[in-house]
Amino acid sequence: MRLRSLTLAVSALVLSACAATAPASPPVSQDWAGRSPYGLFLAGQAALSDGESVQAADYFGRAAEESGVGVLDERAFTAAVLSGDIDMAVRMAPTEADASEAAKRLARLVRAVDAMAHGDGREAYTLLTAQEIGFPHRTAAALLTPWAAAQAGDRQGAIVRPDVPNDKLVEFFGLLGQAYQYERLRRFDEAETDFKALTAEPEAAPMMVLAHGEFLERRGRRDEAVALYDRGLLAYPRDALLTAARARAADRRAAPPPPTPKEGAAQALLTPAAAMLAARQSQFALVYLRLALHLDPERTDAWLMVGDLMAAAGDLQAAREAYARAEPGTPEYPAAQSKLAWSYQNADEPERALEIARQAAADGDPTALLTLSDLLRTNERYAEAIPPLTRLIEESPAPDWRLLFGRGAAYERMGAWPQAEADLQAALELNPDEPDILNYLAYGWIDRGERLEEAMEMVERAVASNPRSGAMIDTLGWGYYRLGEYDKAVEKLEEAVELEAGDPEINNHLGDAYWQVGRRDEAVFQWRRVLTLDPDKRIRADAEAKLASRAGPGVRQTAAAPTK
């Protein structure tokens, strides 16, 4: 069975997130006094749209109290789940015959999770199996059922692998659950068979490698676990959890215990959560994450995913509180700090972002150093971005083209072309077909009038790999410009502007090409447009000089330099 292609994206989403405990809820608005039920309903809708699920739950709850209308009860119930107030959601869960089927399905799922959270596996199992919980919660219910059976003491029910026709997620992640259940029942040979199936692919997803490796550690087979982690790190060299697990196994420290039924159920809910994230169904994803955290409030990966959803909804305070909960010294801490720093950068608070990034990078963690370098480059502090990248390059166990490419780009932006050229060429040697390297190095040569024939061949390869990249088509058009083929330059640069209308450099290039073919008014329009697109200092100065002089672009080299 080929498992990797099925789960790689879902597993990456699950493992890439890290945080620790529940973020504090934003304050609940009390401006509902005097509003009609309909007004409260509209306020709840607006709050829900803005990602303010706690306020939405408050508005809908008040509206339901005032009106007694069932649809408002359903909205209040849903908002309570989204806000993470599962106790309130259980109290408001619709059971009436006239409630919508969607609300009743979610209510059964919520009540089952709450029963497990309180140790009542028997009640949870009944809720999950007495009546089918259909779309869209069928996957979640199927993956939860064996864990509910385990909590209820039903040994046979716990090892039954869930089966939902045509649901590959249930098929695959049900196998993971079954492996854990076999281990819990000390049926180690059967557990190992399942774990081996999960990691059979050379690039098995990190979460499966971790699960299998931890099982081997618990069986006292630490050398085999180290070998498995090493294999995983070949495919995912910067995975913090794999790195930490390998160090633990090599040091012969105690392995994590297998998950309890509550912990296993929480992990099972991350599968549909990640699938919904991949499908851009953010509210469903948040529902499953809130339920997972009701079962296991210490799920750091779930809290980071919640933080991402809150940030996407515009609730930066809730997102930051989620990110900030990861404990220093844990494998998840650097990733959490990275997300926290970027939340400030994206809110136009770069100094606060850099302060967080510097603190996180103080102990030399690779993820933190990379975040610091990326933030410095984003803020055009290129010289400062180079030392963290240099440290990563020097300490990396194997050459990494991405680090060389990043440092080369920083050198280029600060005007140190010889160093940039060396790094970019080294990166290209490691990955000769990478379009981004081909394009960046080719542009550097084209813009300097060097090695034009070689550069044009490289950028044509890049465009062939990524024909919808405005930046790469711009490089091709700029190459034609440097060769003096201005009609071809106009054609390609117009195509690039269509793809990247807001890029100041592409618009500046198009203005130059228009000037050379005699379309002077259009050239002036393009240069004026450049000034409205937040150009950097170099591009702004170039456009302003051309507009002030009305003499057009300066003298350009149009003959190809000899190739080396």
Side-chain angles (χ1 to χ4, degrees), residues 478-507:
W478 197 232
Y480 284 128
Y481 184 98
R482 289 302 206 196
L483 290 167
E485 300 181 36
Y486 299 122
D487 289 333
K488 287 185 178 179
V490 167
E491 177 187 348
K492 289 300 176 184
L493 291 169
E494 285 181 337
E495 183 181 346
V497 165
E498 287 182 7
L499 293 168
E500 300 283 350
D503 187 293
E505 188 157 34
I506 298 176
N507 281 275

Side-chain angles (χ1 to χ4, degrees), residues 93-138:
T95 58
E96 297 83 2
D98 59 349
S100 70
E101 187 58 34
K104 287 189 286 189
R105 288 173 180 175
L106 178 57
R108 286 197 295 276
L109 183 67
V110 168
R111 289 166 56 210
V113 167
D114 185 63
M116 286 198 71
H118 290 91
D120 192 349
R122 189 177 301 277
E123 172 66 11
Y125 187 82
T126 299
L127 287 164
L128 291 166
T129 59
Q131 183 178 356
E132 181 186 13
I133 299 179
F135 178 85
H137 306 302
R138 186 182 292 113

Side-chain angles (χ1 to χ4, degrees), residues 372-394:
L372 176 59
S373 176
D374 287 345
L375 283 166
L376 288 165
R377 283 188 291 159
T378 298
N379 289 288
E380 300 182 13
R381 296 164 70 161
Y382 302 112
E384 296 175 65
I386 289 170
L389 284 169
T390 298
R391 180 173 177 178
L392 285 169
I393 290 167
E394 292 174 348

